[in-house]
Amino acid sequence: MFGLLRPCAHGAAKYGIDAAEWRTHMCGLCLGLRDGHGQLARATTNVDAIVLSMLTEAQSGGAVERSTAGRCALRGMQRASVASVDAPGVRLAATASLLLAAAKIRDHVADGDASALARKPMGTVSTRWAGQARVSAQRIGLDVEPLVAALSAQTRLEQAALDLAMTDRADSLARLTAPTQLCASEFFAHTAILADRPDNVDALRTAGWQFGRIAHLADAVQDYERDLARGRFNPLAATGTTMPQAYDLLRESDSQLRAAVAAAELDAVPTVRWMLLDPLASVLRRLGHGIGTIAGHTCAVSHNRGEVQLNSRRTGHRRPGIGESLTLILGSYCTGYACCADHTQPCTGNRKDAWIKRCDCDCGCGDCCGCCDCNC
């Protein structure tokens, strides 16, 4: 879960949801990490972990917990109503953020992305965050030891996949995605426990298992060319999985995830559709249009002018300028502002300038973010 989900402001209006709801959960998670684990822990804020907070609320059925956050530079020094830091869903999202960030840093060190001088402090931070994840998990009754063990085994699994490169590849990809799938499945399932909905545990565990595969494969597709250029490990290249095969697996997981969400009777809940199902549909649509690299897309309304701006984070194109880079750093994670260099219109595949002031399809469906079902 590393930034796959980017709900669209158009979808929020369609479902009668305030577009600031995404930021409500984001800021709640950020503040929950600060209050529970210190300022440095806020760096682990994971945009996909927000779905755990949302799923917990969606199943609770009662009044949602909100608190007023103080002024923040990333909100233009405005106060905001945010998810309570003591809410069970926020604590679960914080646990996921810490655990996955620790694993991500460990992977960077193992891949040799860090200099020799940086490896030791990075390892120290990774160990600290993993320990904080354990503490956070204990508070909400989640056993994370199997998840820690699975993530720790990722490097060994990658080496095994390389060793099998010229022999048996049949189950290699499934083994490589299993740690991510296990983590996502247990986190999804625990939302049902926290919401006191034990009847939903199995369905959400299945949904999480499929979400984990989507997240892992989407990341592999996005990084494919860059990994090959840098000589880094890529699960698709290592297992000989072609892009069409990867796309078929993504479609299969998406179908099974939706069936599981429907089994939990959450598929009609507006926030679930807006923050989980629609963004996943957008991800698959972009792959279906033959885009070689895939990333989250945010289409959000500017808080200052009420103007819609776009971003589509892709590799292989021009680097964003200083202004765009600052927007990426200061805006995309906490405010939903546009942040990158270009945007591919999903209905036609044509590229557009990211800084346009309108957000509409050439086909006239009125949906720039791929949330519609038009076949134009």
Side-chain angles (χ1 to χ4, degrees), residues 14-353:
K14 178 174 66 177
Y15 294 122
I17 302 172
D18 186 348
E21 185 69 10
W22 189 79
R23 188 187 66 183
T24 294
H25 288 277
M26 170 67 74
C27 293
L29 170 58
C30 181
L31 295 175
L33 287 164
R34 181 201 66 183
D35 291 355
H37 308 284
Q39 289 286 356
L40 183 60
R42 302 175 79 175
T44 70
T45 302
N46 185 310
V47 295
D48 284 349
I50 297 172
V51 77
L52 301 175
S53 176
M54 178 274 295
L55 282 173
T56 304
E57 284 191 356
Q59 296 173 85
S60 298
V64 296
E65 299 182 54
R66 295 288 183 264
S67 60
T68 301
R71 302 182 188 279
C72 175
L74 297 179
R75 290 194 301 269
M77 299 308 296
Q78 298 296 313
R79 298 182 183 274
S81 175
V82 304
S84 173
V85 298
D86 295 323
V90 171
R91 290 186 174 184
L92 179 61
T95 302
S97 293
L98 289 164
L99 184 63
L100 296 175
K104 194 72 171 179
I105 289 181
R106 188 167 57 247
D107 287 345
H108 281 307
V109 173
D111 290 341
D113 294 337
S115 66
L117 292 176
R119 289 171 192 167
K120 184 174 181 179
M122 288 178 67
T124 300
V125 171
S126 176
T127 300
R128 179 191 305 170
W129 284 345
Q132 290 175 332
R134 288 184 172 93
V135 173
S136 181
Q138 289 178 348
R139 295 171 180 168
I140 55 175
L142 174 64
D143 181 11
V144 295
E145 293 308 320
L147 312 186
V148 172
L151 292 173
S152 299
Q154 187 70 49
T155 302
R156 176 177 54 80
L157 292 173
E158 291 177 358
Q159 184 58 53
L162 291 175
D163 294 340
L164 292 172
M166 301 305 296
T167 56
D168 180 19
R169 294 176 176 175
D171 298 321
S172 300
L173 186 60
R175 288 196 292 269
L176 287 172
T177 61
T180 305
Q181 291 181 264
L182 176 63
C183 288
S185 66
E186 292 306 311
F187 284 132
F188 271 53
H190 207 67
T191 65
I193 294 175
L194 294 177
D196 196 23
R197 292 290 302 275
D199 51 316
N200 283 351
V201 169
D202 290 341
L204 286 175
R205 181 173 283 115
T206 299
W209 184 263
Q210 300 305 327
F211 180 84
R213 183 160 76 162
I214 292 172
H216 199 117
L217 291 180
D219 185 64
V221 170
Q222 177 184 352
D223 294 340
Y224 189 85
E225 294 182 0
R226 182 170 53 188
D227 287 344
L228 293 185
R230 297 181 179 180
R232 295 174 53 181
F233 180 88
N234 185 282
L236 301 181
T239 59
T241 304
T242 65
M243 289 296 175
Q245 289 171 334
Y247 180 63
D248 287 342
L249 292 173
L250 286 165
R251 290 184 60 189
E252 177 185 78
S253 287
D254 181 68
S255 177
Q256 294 180 16
L257 181 150
R258 291 172 186 277
V261 171
E265 299 182 349
L266 295 173
D267 57 322
V269 177
T271 52
V272 175
R273 295 196 62 84
W274 179 55
M275 296 179 68
L276 175 61
L277 300 182
D278 284 356
L280 287 178
S282 184
V283 165
L284 265 68
R285 183 172 289 110
R286 289 184 178 83
L287 284 176
H289 280 101
I291 299 176
T293 54
I294 169 179
H297 171 83
T298 301
C299 175
V301 178
S302 166
H303 294 270
N304 293 328
R305 298 183 180 179
E307 295 169 340
V308 177
Q309 298 176 318
L310 308 176
N311 98 77
S312 179
R313 196 176 315 166
R314 303 175 62 197
T315 60
H317 300 294
R318 70 177 178 88
R319 293 184 179 181
I322 295 176
E324 294 168 314
S325 298
L326 287 174
T327 309
L328 170 61
I329 296 170
L330 299 178
S332 64
Y333 290 101
C334 292
T335 64
Y337 280 36
C339 70
C340 263
D342 54 54
H343 169 67
T344 299
Q345 200 278 326
C347 294
T348 65
N350 296 327
R351 288 178 56 191
K352 292 184 178 180
D353 189 335

